[in-house]
DNA sequence: ACCGTGATGTTCT
DNA sequence: GAACATCACGGTG
């Protein structure tokens, strides 16, 4: 079952925690690829110095201010795309970064897109999984209730651990918030 | 296995 | 002009 709008229109921390164990899917002209989400991070707008939306609405962050359930993609370090899910309701600028997947469908296609064959390293990082799933900057604003990119429920009930977020040292006190969620003992995390 | 580093393009100051 | 929610590679142990 595809997650519906209401799932996303809750606070970002709840959405981030509950996305662990769900299945992220892209269905593009060259094939369908997917993986179980094993690592997420919540970015909580006005109360979170690490969030891109912390300093208000800009051309880049305007998607945060729309309804939950749309895609936020951005380019980092000049070469990697990061895939996020906008959370909460209009004008509450929160989002969830998808940081790692356990590959499921279309593994050969993902290997081709990545130029790698090691399964463990296929989707074990935000830039890696974006590449493996064929996400481009054109996915900015894509509707997760559509058919190109969406998230499905699964039967998996992972044990979930909360930790500090990765690489947000610049964010002062916010760097210590436990807003990273991982499937405990998964082999597919970005940092083991 | 663990470091150090270079690549590269937006965004915001 | 600096900073950046990263990755892959090549070096050294």
């Amino acid at each position: 079952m595809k997650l519906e709008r209401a799932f996303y229109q809750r606070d970002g921390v709840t959405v981030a925690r509950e996305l662990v164990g769900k299945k992220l899917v892209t269905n593009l002209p060259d094939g369908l690829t997917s993986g179980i989400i094993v690592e997420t991070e919540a970015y909580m707008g006005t109360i979170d110095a690490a969030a891109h939306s912390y300093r208000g609405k800009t051309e880049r962050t305007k998607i945060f201010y729309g309804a939950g359930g749309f895609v936020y993609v951005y380019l980092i370090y000049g070469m990697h795309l990061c895939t996020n899910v906008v959370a909460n309701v209009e004008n509450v600028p929160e989002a969830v970064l998808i940081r790692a997947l356990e590959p499921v469908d279309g593994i050969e296609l993902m290997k081709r897109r990545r130029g790698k064959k090691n399964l463990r390293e296929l989707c074990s990082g935000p830039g890696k999984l974006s590449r493996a799933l064929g996400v481009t900057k054109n996915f900015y604003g894509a509707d997760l209730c559509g058919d190109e990119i969406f998230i499905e429920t699964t039967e998996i009930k992972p044990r979930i651990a909360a930790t500090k977020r990765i690489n947000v040292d610049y964010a002062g006190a916010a760097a210590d918030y436990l807003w990273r969620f991982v499937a405990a003992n998964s082999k597919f995390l970005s940092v083991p």
Side-chain angles (χ1 to χ4, degrees):
Chain A
M1 285 250 323
K2 198 178 289 187
L3 298 181
E4 54 202 65
R5 184 80 56 213
F7 178 93
Y8 301 105
Q9 296 201 323
R10 299 175 295 160
D11 82 277
V13 171
T14 300
V15 174
R17 191 188 303 110
E18 294 195 12
L19 278 178
V20 176
K22 303 293 192 289
K23 184 160 113 172
L24 175 61
V25 184
T26 59
N27 195 3
L28 302 179
D30 54 343
L32 184 146
T33 49
S34 77
I36 302 300
I37 297 170
V38 295
E39 177 176 348
T40 62
E41 285 177 357
Y43 286 88
M44 299 297 284
T46 54
I47 60 165
D48 179 9
H52 290 165
S53 52
Y54 182 61
R55 291 182 173 79
K57 191 191 276 194
T58 67
E59 192 58 24
R60 180 170 69 148
T61 62
K62 63 184 179 189
I63 191 71
F64 281 71
Y65 293 81
F70 292 84
V71 176
Y72 168 53
V73 260
Y74 67 93
L75 182 69
I76 188 69
Y77 300 120
M79 54 181 69
H80 304 293
L81 293 169
C82 291
T83 304
N84 299 245
V85 169
V86 175
N88 223 317
V89 296
E90 261 185 78
N91 294 313
V92 184
E94 300 172 356
V96 176
L97 171 65
I98 311 297
R99 285 194 57 90
L101 305 177
E102 174 173 345
V104 177
D105 298 304
I107 288 174
E108 288 313 310
L109 176 53
M110 292 197 278
K111 287 179 176 173
R112 230 175 302 139
R113 285 171 175 160
R114 290 265 297 120
K116 291 267 165 199
K117 16 189 179 183
N118 184 338
L119 196 64
R120 291 235 313 259
E121 296 179 5
L122 210 49
C123 299
S124 57
K128 297 177 190 179
L129 73 90
S130 297
R131 190 86 193 262
L133 291 184
V135 170
T136 67
K137 59 189 174 184
N138 293 332
F139 280 61
Y140 185 96
D143 189 353
L144 283 158
C145 299
D147 294 322
E148 267 201 324
I149 181 167
F150 52 90
I151 302 176
E152 290 180 340
T153 56
T154 71
E155 298 305 309
I156 301 169
K157 306 233 183 301
R159 194 174 77 73
I160 294 172
T163 78
K164 295 181 187 181
R165 294 172 292 177
I166 306 297
N167 286 346
V168 295
D169 306 339
Y170 61 88
D176 294 328
Y177 300 162
L178 301 179
W179 285 346
R180 171 174 177 257
F181 300 96
V182 301
N185 66 45
S186 170
K187 296 181 178 64
F188 298 90
L189 303 181
S190 67
V191 13

